Amino acid sequence: MTEIEKMLSGQIYDTVAEGLVERRTRAHALCVKYNAIAEDKEEERKQILDQLLPNKKKGVHIQGPFYCDYGDYLHLGENFYANFNFTVLDCCDIYIGDNVFVGPNVSIVTPVHPLRYQQRNLRFKEDGTAYDYECAKQIVIGDNCWIATGVTIVGGVKIGNGCVIGAGSVVTRDIPDNSLA
């Protein structure tokens, strides 16, 4: 199993394994480009989002600044909107349904670092490259949700359809359909 396959399946993986650093660097560069383009340059911004987010449906609008680790594992439904400072660490699949609105300063993060420092601390390869072990857990957000200002959603949770996640919340467990959390 490759390190990318381990990453996507929720297993412990080497964060600087072949291919991962290059893919993150590419995504980070595209985010910088996207964030530097004025909002009235819609076609230029769309072209960058098309490269960065191959799994998005129509009607996606991301205000910017926007940051993601890969972009490849972020699946956005129709009519998705994200306000300023949207941060996504997509080291595992993130599925976001249709008609989801995301307020400013929201983070959706799939990485789960080991709790024991013996597993979590930095390691060094023979060439001196620093790396760590981590795993990632999928996130699912249903249709017709509103994720308010300053929310953090951590790996391994599912937010049901029709939910409102209140400002400043940290979502660490599943939220059933049509809930206010």
Side-chain angles (χ1 to χ4, degrees):
M1 184 177 263
T2 68
E3 295 301 308
I4 292 173
E5 290 169 336
K6 288 178 186 177
M7 178 180 80
L8 294 173
S9 67
Q11 296 181 41
I12 296 285
Y13 69 98
D14 175 353
T15 58
V16 297
E18 186 175 336
L20 289 176
V21 173
E22 297 81 7
R23 292 174 68 207
R24 275 194 310 270
T25 300
R26 175 189 175 276
H28 294 171
L30 286 170
C31 287
V32 168
K33 277 184 173 181
Y34 183 80
N35 294 333
I37 297 172
E39 289 179 44
D40 64 348
K41 308 284 186 196
E42 291 179 30
E43 188 54 38
E44 288 179 52
R45 287 168 61 102
K46 181 187 177 310
Q47 288 175 3
I48 291 172
L49 277 189
D50 288 347
Q51 292 175 62
L52 183 59
L53 304 174
N55 299 306
K56 67 176 178 50
K57 293 184 179 174
K58 68 180 181 177
V60 168
H61 181 84
I62 299 175
Q63 189 68 44
F66 168 58
Y67 305 98
C68 68
D69 264 347
Y70 299 98
D72 297 328
Y73 310 116
L74 178 57
H75 307 264
L76 298 175
E78 289 185 11
N79 304 317
F80 172 84
Y81 174 83
N83 211 315
F84 299 109
N85 294 320
F86 183 44
T87 300
V88 176
L89 303 184
D90 60 328
C91 303
C92 200
D93 287 310
I94 298 170
Y95 295 95
I96 300 178
D98 297 338
N99 303 304
V100 173
F101 298 143
V102 173
N105 302 312
V106 168
S107 296
I108 300 176
V109 294
T110 63
V112 180
H113 294 277
L115 296 178
R116 294 174 42 97
Y117 71 87
Q118 296 90 339
Q119 296 171 317
R120 180 182 61 242
N121 285 353
L122 280 179
R123 300 161 181 344
F124 296 90
K125 296 185 184 259
E126 286 185 24
D127 68 0
T129 302
Y131 72 102
D132 69 328
Y133 286 126
E134 68 180 40
C135 65
K137 305 231 183 255
Q138 179 177 283
I139 295 172
V140 177
I141 300 171
D143 296 334
N144 304 304
C145 291
W146 175 26
I147 312 298
T149 301
V151 170
T152 299
I153 300 169
V154 301
V157 302
K158 180 179 181 190
I159 297 173
N161 295 318
C163 289
V164 174
I165 308 300
S169 296
V170 178
V171 182
T172 61
R173 59 185 78 140
D174 291 354
I175 308 293
D177 288 350
N178 303 309
S179 295
L180 169 61

